[in-house]
Amino acid sequence: MDASDEILQMATPSALLTLAGVIRSLNEVMARTLGRSVEQCVGRGFGELLPTSELSAVESLVSHAATTKTVAMRVLEFPGPGAASVVCLVEARRVNDPVGGEALVWVHSLDAGNDRGGLLIPFRLAAKAANLGLCMYSPQERKLEWLGGAPALAALFPEASMPLSEVVRRVHPDDRGALRRLVRSMAPRSPWIRLRFLTEHDGWHVLVCRARRIILGFGGPERVFGVTRDDTKRQARRRRALVALSAERQRADEIAAFSSAVMTAVTEQEVQQVVLTRLAATFGGTGAALAFITNGRLRVSSDAGIPIPVAALHGLPLDAPSALPYVIRTGEPQFIPNQEDYIRRWPHGAMVPYFDQLDSGYAISITSLSPGGDQPLGAWLVTYDSEHRSSPDERALMSTLADLAGQALKRVRLQEARVELATALQQAMLPMLPEHLPGLEAAACYQPSRDGLDIGGDWYDAFVLPDGAIALEIGDVQGHDVDAAAAMGQVRASMRAIAAHEPDPATVLTRTNELLVTMDAARFASCTMLRIDPDDGRVTGASAGHVPLLYARDDGSHSIREMPGGPVLGVLPDADYAEETFTLDKDAALVMVTDGVVEGPALTLDAGLERAGKLAAQAIHDGLNAEETADRILDAAVAVDHLDDVAVLIIRRT
């Protein structure tokens, strides 16, 4: 598929740029986020369509992806379709157009729903650099939250979060109307207003404030952001004390937010996202990079703020004579205060990251994500634009957070490996249906429960008996785990073996139940088995506590057929199973399902059977084949938020 077609199908903002940053194509969502139509965007520079303040960040992001061929991330502000601008975490990577072979840069927004606090970091850094305070008002909660910025301003507020009523109480009565107009303003950006604000310790302060509306992430919540400047003269000694106190509180909040975000990450991309969004800001750096190990070589990504060309590190072997591979190999962190110290300690590796080409003031801190002796996972790297000597406390904190990130990465990879193993096991246990059944057409589909591993106890089977008849079975073993899947495979194999010698469905269920009871099986199973003569459509069936059959006809009608039988398999010894014989008409179909298809949190068994029967009959009437009919029934079950495993097996007489 053309790369352009792929991005147009995405539900989030996405665009393809030339290596010079000109928009080649984009989806409707990206155009709306840029506040223009698709036609108005194509052929324009991507940075031209964003606020002027974002131009440098956009150029850095696109250039990084275009020249280093590595993934880069950046928080960018978009104009948005309305009064509020949209702040998104944007990923850029180099791709090749499969049609023309042209090298392009793909930029698209990432889901920041699990870490919206990371989107605020550029605003906090900008506010701090301008010696302004930054706060956020949530209209739904009617709360004002202090986000940081200038520590001296943060110190004016006793709590990091305050109800609006408390803020109003502290504002001079003559200024309260102006405050209310500020937080309720629907304009993209309000004018500056002056307020007299009463603090707990040193009386009245004159604050100058301005508000604007921001949407946090694509599809995220809208908030009112305010920047504040203190125009009051205060004693220098008290200012220093308040600044130190506020800075410590802000740093503690950043560390707590970093720890929480990395430990709640559920994918490797989310771990990468948290680190590249938060790492540099947490340790006062100007850029950050993250290196993972793949097949003994470095796989590096960065936040696009790092001055070192990441491409020089990407793909390096672990034995390369450079600081980053050394840290990953040994687990020993490296805190390098300036260029001279780096060259002294790594004379053969100076050119590897091109560190010798930077100003002598640059500094680097590198920390392993796994202790020495463990299987190497990777490391992260923080850069500084001036000489930086890390204190013992900072080094200990960086090592602690790196260890947390390493634990999160191990947990994510273990879960991904378990899911892959479970999926492979499930696929290995579900059989392939016979390709050619004379006079019959069969199809089946399966989907596991949403909870736990992607594996369960539902199964289906179809095979040719020695006398030429066709055996069909569908069942459900108790549970949604690996043990359930193992028990399912055991039951299915037993029924096949018994049917080869005693093909009557009632006899097969009786013998299978005896076997499971004798083995003292830990799981019970429900099951329906049919034996179909393809010549005359004669069907003999029996059930072991399973849901009824559905009989769908080509005239659009259907019926529910409850088969005789006995209890579920593996519970009662000496259980007897009855069977029934009927005829399957030509162009009619039998639909066999598990209970997850016809039962759910808001769906009774009777209602579910009626719904599935109507769907099957309509599909047969519309001329759909067995596979299309099975897909239609399964899609309907998934659409009503099913919680259980679901399986559908259809046999149609042609």
Side-chain angles (χ1 to χ4, degrees):
M1 181 181 291
D2 193 306
S4 298
D5 292 332
E6 290 183 353
I7 70 161
L8 291 177
Q9 296 173 7
M10 296 188 68
T12 55
S14 183
L16 283 173
L17 315 179
T18 67
L19 299 188
V22 176
I23 297 177
R24 162 89 172 274
S25 60
L26 73 168
N27 59 11
E28 289 283 351
V29 184
M30 176 63 88
R32 288 197 303 271
T33 308
L34 291 170
R36 291 171 171 80
S37 67
V38 171
E39 293 74 16
Q40 291 173 325
C41 295
V42 173
R44 299 280 300 278
F46 187 58
E48 297 174 17
L49 303 181
L50 272 67
T52 306
S53 59
E54 299 296 290
L55 183 58
S56 175
V58 171
E59 290 176 347
S60 173
L61 180 71
V62 174
S63 173
H64 214 77
T67 58
T68 66
K69 300 181 182 181
T70 57
V71 175
M73 295 182 189
R74 200 79 171 189
V75 175
L76 297 179
E77 182 180 344
F78 292 79
S85 58
V86 183
V87 177
C88 295
L89 177 60
V90 176
E91 179 187 88
R93 65 173 69 206
R94 183 165 170 166
V95 297
N96 289 322
D97 188 335
V99 176
E102 179 185 2
L104 301 171
V105 174
W106 175 33
V107 294
H108 64 104
S109 72
L110 298 174
D111 180 12
N114 288 342
D115 185 26
R116 287 206 170 94
L119 301 176
L120 305 177
I121 289 176
F123 295 89
R124 291 163 48 196
L125 295 177
K128 185 175 181 180
N131 201 33
L132 298 173
L134 183 66
C135 58
M136 177 176 70
Y137 174 62
S138 303
Q140 294 81 5
E141 301 174 2
R142 295 183 61 81
K143 282 188 176 180
L144 196 71
E145 182 180 353
W146 186 260
L147 299 180
L153 279 160
L156 301 180
F157 295 85
E159 303 287 345
S161 177
M162 297 173 65
L164 180 61
S165 58
E166 175 62 17
V167 178
V168 171
R169 188 185 67 80
R170 292 176 175 273
V171 171
H172 193 280
D174 294 344
D175 298 336
R176 290 172 184 172
L179 174 63
R180 292 190 178 95
R181 289 193 298 273
L182 185 70
V183 298
R184 295 173 183 171
S185 172
M186 297 304 294
R189 196 184 301 267
S190 77
W192 289 96
I193 66 167
R194 191 176 298 272
L195 300 172
R196 285 162 288 179
F197 187 82
L198 184 62
T199 64
E200 287 187 340
H201 302 292
D202 52 358
W204 290 97
H205 282 250
V206 177
L207 304 181
V208 180
C209 310
R210 190 178 192 180
R212 57 181 303 202
R213 307 187 77 83
I214 296 288
I215 296 174
L216 287 177
F218 174 72
E222 183 172 322
R223 296 288 186 264
V224 178
F225 280 70
V227 289
T228 305
R229 184 178 74 247
D230 187 0
D231 282 0
T232 308
K233 292 182 179 180
R234 291 173 293 175
Q235 295 181 352
R237 186 174 64 182
R238 185 162 185 80
R239 180 190 293 270
R240 286 194 298 269
L242 292 175
V243 166
L245 177 63
S246 176
E248 189 62 30
R249 186 181 75 184
Q250 184 173 323
R251 181 171 176 79
D253 289 344
E254 290 173 350
I255 292 166
F258 188 112
S259 302
S260 175
V262 78
M263 292 309 295
T264 55
V266 295
T267 66
E268 184 172 310
Q269 184 187 42
E270 286 190 7
V271 174
Q272 179 188 47
Q273 185 172 313
V274 170
V275 171
L276 295 183
T277 304
R278 293 178 171 274
L279 182 60
T282 299
F283 290 97
T286 54
L290 182 63
F292 293 145
I293 301 302
T294 302
N295 298 325
R297 292 185 175 272
L298 274 60
R299 175 164 53 90
V300 185
S301 55
S302 79
D303 65 355
I306 187 169
I308 300 172
V310 178
L313 302 171
H314 195 72
L316 276 181
L318 275 179
D319 58 356
S322 183
L324 182 58
Y326 174 83
V327 170
I328 297 174
R329 285 197 314 270
T330 65
E332 299 178 12
Q334 297 292 303
F335 301 96
I336 303 164
N338 50 45
Q339 183 196 72
E340 290 77 7
D341 186 67
Y342 183 93
I343 295 174
R344 179 181 61 80
R345 294 162 62 181
W346 302 95
H348 300 293
M351 285 299 295
V352 173
Y354 299 98
F355 196 53
D356 61 341
Q357 298 178 16
L358 301 175
D359 293 339
S360 61
Y362 275 104
I364 298 179
S365 295
I366 310 173
T367 312
S368 171
L369 299 181
S370 53
D374 283 6
Q375 182 70 26
L377 293 174
W380 68 34
L381 180 150
V382 180
T383 61
Y384 305 86
D385 60 2
S386 60
E387 184 170 302
H388 179 81
R389 298 185 182 275
S390 302
S391 68
D393 288 344
E394 182 180 283
R395 296 184 180 195
L397 178 60
M398 188 173 287
S399 295
T400 299
L401 292 182
D403 185 55
L404 287 178
Q407 292 177 31
L409 186 61
K410 287 181 181 179
R411 170 176 50 78
V412 164
R413 289 182 174 176
L414 176 61
Q415 179 63 17
E416 289 174 348
R418 292 178 64 198
V419 170
E420 290 176 3
L421 176 62
T423 302
L425 175 61
Q426 185 77 66
Q427 292 301 317
M429 288 190 170
L430 291 175
M432 295 290 293
L433 298 183
E435 291 186 5
H436 303 291
L437 297 175
L440 299 172
E441 180 189 16
C445 52
Y446 167 84
Q447 183 158 317
S449 163
R450 297 177 309 151
D451 297 329
L453 293 176
D454 284 348
I455 192 168
D458 286 14
W459 89 91
Y460 57 81
D461 203 357
F463 51 92
V464 181
L465 294 168
D467 62 358
I470 308 302
L472 298 164
E473 60 186 60
I474 194 166
D476 182 0
V477 172
Q478 171 198 18
H480 310 98
D481 53 22
V482 174
D483 290 338
M488 172 267 285
Q490 188 178 52
V491 173
R492 186 172 67 82
S494 299
M495 292 183 67
R496 271 212 181 203
I498 295 169
H501 302 284
E502 300 180 87
D504 291 337
T507 304
V508 173
L509 294 182
T510 300
R511 297 289 180 265
T512 303
N513 181 66
E514 291 172 353
L515 177 63
L516 295 178
V517 170
T518 301
M519 295 172 60
D520 195 21
R523 307 290 179 106
F524 63 81
S526 67
C527 176
T528 291
M529 181 175 179
L530 304 179
R531 180 183 184 277
I532 301 180
D533 188 329
D535 295 327
D536 58 9
R538 188 178 178 84
V539 180
T540 302
S543 174
H546 201 65
V547 297
L549 286 176
L550 297 169
Y551 192 123
R553 305 173 184 86
D554 62 347
D555 63 359
S557 64
H558 74 280
S559 58
I560 299 171
R561 182 177 287 273
E562 188 158 1
M563 303 301 297
V568 294
L569 303 174
V571 176
L572 297 178
D574 303 322
D576 290 324
Y577 294 85
E579 62 185 23
E580 176 186 340
T581 299
F582 60 93
T583 299
L584 176 62
D585 296 332
K586 284 197 173 184
D587 295 321
L590 293 175
V591 181
M592 307 170 72
V593 300
T594 54
D595 56 2
V597 177
V598 292
E599 286 186 296
L603 189 67
T604 65
L605 176 60
D606 290 341
L609 286 168
E610 184 64 23
R611 185 197 62 175
K614 286 182 178 179
L615 287 171
Q618 187 62 47
I620 299 297
H621 178 70
D622 293 344
L624 271 62
N625 61 29
E627 183 176 355
E628 293 168 332
T629 303
D631 288 339
R632 179 175 288 189
I633 296 171
L634 184 67
D635 289 344
V638 173
V640 296
D641 201 24
H642 79 99
L643 299 176
D644 201 357
D645 307 324
V646 291
V648 179
L649 176 60
I650 293 181
I651 188 76
R652 180 172 172 266
R653 190 178 175 201
T654 59

